[in-house]
């Protein structure tokens, strides 16, 4: 683990700083190009009037030089030609302004380019670079526990760095070592139930955290393997009044007038586990029920019957068809109803008969009721079921 994590950390650091070098070089090259272009623009705009002034002066000097040679030629000729040449010279000289010069910009108006480079940039970069990046020898959070659930795993983690104050956690998992990790949860809770997992298959998990007020995530925890041996809870198919999701763990009461109890596909609930229903509410009815039973029984409209325990959507609790005095709050959208059971056995226990008692705890909206449920035979596993009189109810079971 130490060698693998050290090798991985070296690779990450080398790649990160290599990327930084490339990016910094690109940014510096772009800045240099921009400054050189700025020098070119200033040079071209500033030298243009000086070039024009120089051309005018050179033209005037050339014209004066030509006129001088023409005057010398007029003086050197014979008398007859002198008068004519001198006349032409005089006329030409009167039309040429030899005493005027173009306006030359003053020295203070002529640009003098220079590069202004502040050395403090190097100091700033040096300070930032020396503080950039850290090497952590121990992540601040680690995976703590995997709890098997039907078709899922409850993953718990804990903080191992007392000086670290977490704001959010990030849980990832993958099905095989060669596949990439995927986000499965981001939030403030230190546990998460991962559903839709195949039984008897190893999954790898890892978790990291984000410190209070920080944007970056901490290093990942050591990856650990978890699995579930429990098959997922599924509703049975084929009942006219209910539509099921593709994984058959969500049941929707549809518009069909047909009514009855929707049971689980198999008796997949075992004592010692927690059975959870999460629902979206529709119009309630006193006959509605969510609960557990010893066997499937066709023809019933509700689980408010013998060999079953259930809670109605108004919070009433029924044991073997009899309503209890204690009640739970009415079911609301997004709330959960949980069933927990443990065996309390009296007398002989056999398929031929005898007393078999289960201690049942039903919880909903931060309240719970506890009671004993007596069955006429041992039940190693139980069915779950639901019934709703009106459409719009949706129940997820896990």
């Amino acid at each position: 683990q130490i060698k693998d994590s050290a090798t991985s950390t070296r690779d990450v650091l080398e790649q990160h700083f290599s990327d930084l070098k490339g990016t910094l070089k690109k940014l510096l090259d772009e800045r240099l190009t921009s400054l050189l272009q700025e020098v070119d623009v200033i040079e071209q705009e500033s030298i243009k009037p000086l070039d024009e002034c120089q051309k005018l002066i050179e033209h005037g000097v050339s014209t004066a030089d030509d006129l001088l040679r023409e005057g010398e030629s007029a003086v050197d000729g014979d008398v007859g030609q002198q008068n004519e040449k001198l006349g032409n010279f005089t006329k030409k000289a009167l039309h040429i302004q030899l005493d005027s010069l173009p306006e030359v910009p003053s020295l203070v108006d002529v640009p003098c380019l220079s590069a202004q480079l502040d050395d403090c940039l190097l100091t700033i970069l040096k300070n930032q670079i020396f503080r950039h990046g850290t090497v952590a020898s121990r992540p601040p959070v680690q995976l703590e526990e995997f709890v098997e659930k039907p078709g899922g795993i409850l993953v718990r983690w804990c903080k191992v760095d007392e000086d670290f104050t977490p704001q959010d956690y990030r849980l990832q998992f993958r099905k095989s070592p060669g596949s990439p990790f995927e986000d499965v949860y981001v939030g403030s809770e230190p546990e998460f139930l991962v559903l839709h997992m195949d039984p008897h298959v190893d999954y790898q998990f890892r978790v990291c955290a984000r410190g209070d007020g920080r944007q970056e995530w901490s290093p990942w925890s050591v990856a650990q393997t978890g699995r579930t041996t429990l098959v997922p809870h599924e509703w049975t198919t084929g009942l006219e009044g209910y539509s099921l999701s593709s994984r058959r763990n969500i049941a929707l009461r549809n518009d069909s007038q047909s009514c009855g109890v929707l049971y689980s596909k198999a008796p997949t609930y075992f004592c010692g586990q927690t059975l959870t229903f999460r629902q979206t509410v529709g119009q309630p009815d006193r006959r509605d029920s969510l609960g557990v039973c010893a066997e499937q029984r066709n023809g019933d409209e509700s689980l408010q019957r013998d060999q079953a325990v259930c809670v109605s959507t108004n919070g009433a609790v029924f044991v073997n068809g009899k309503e209890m005095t204690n009640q739970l709050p009415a079911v609301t959208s997004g709330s959960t109803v949980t069933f927990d059971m443990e065996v309390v056995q009296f007398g002989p226990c056999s398929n031929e008969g005898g007393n078999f008692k289960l201690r049942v705890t039903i919880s909903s909206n931060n309240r719970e009721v506890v009671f004993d449920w007596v069955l006429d035979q041992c039940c190693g596993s139980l069915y779950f079921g639901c019934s709703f009189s009106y459409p719009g109810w949706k129940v997820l079971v896990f």
Side-chain angles (χ1 to χ4, degrees), residues 74-140:
V75 172
D76 293 340
D78 56 36
V79 177
Q81 291 180 340
Q82 280 183 348
N83 291 333
E84 182 180 354
K85 289 183 177 180
L86 287 172
N88 292 334
F89 172 77
T90 302
K91 289 179 182 179
K92 192 172 184 180
L94 291 173
H95 288 87
I96 298 176
Q97 297 179 352
L98 297 177
D99 59 346
S100 65
L101 288 173
E103 183 179 359
V104 180
S106 63
L107 189 61
V108 296
D109 294 330
V110 177
C112 180
L113 280 71
S114 64
Q116 305 298 310
L117 301 174
D118 193 347
D119 290 339
C120 72
L121 175 62
L122 294 177
T123 303
I124 295 172
L125 287 176
K126 181 179 178 181
N127 292 335
Q128 291 294 330
I129 289 172
F130 283 168
R131 291 198 301 265
H132 181 68
T134 57
V135 176
S137 61
R138 190 180 184 189

Side-chain angles (χ1 to χ4, degrees), residues 294 307 343 345-358 375-382:
Q307 300 294 293
V343 178
Q345 184 175 321
F346 293 94
C349 178
S350 66
N351 291 332
E352 284 75 26
N355 294 325
F356 186 67
K357 185 183 294 185
L358 298 175
L375 296 171
D376 56 11
Q377 62 180 2
C378 293
C379 291
S381 58
L382 299 165

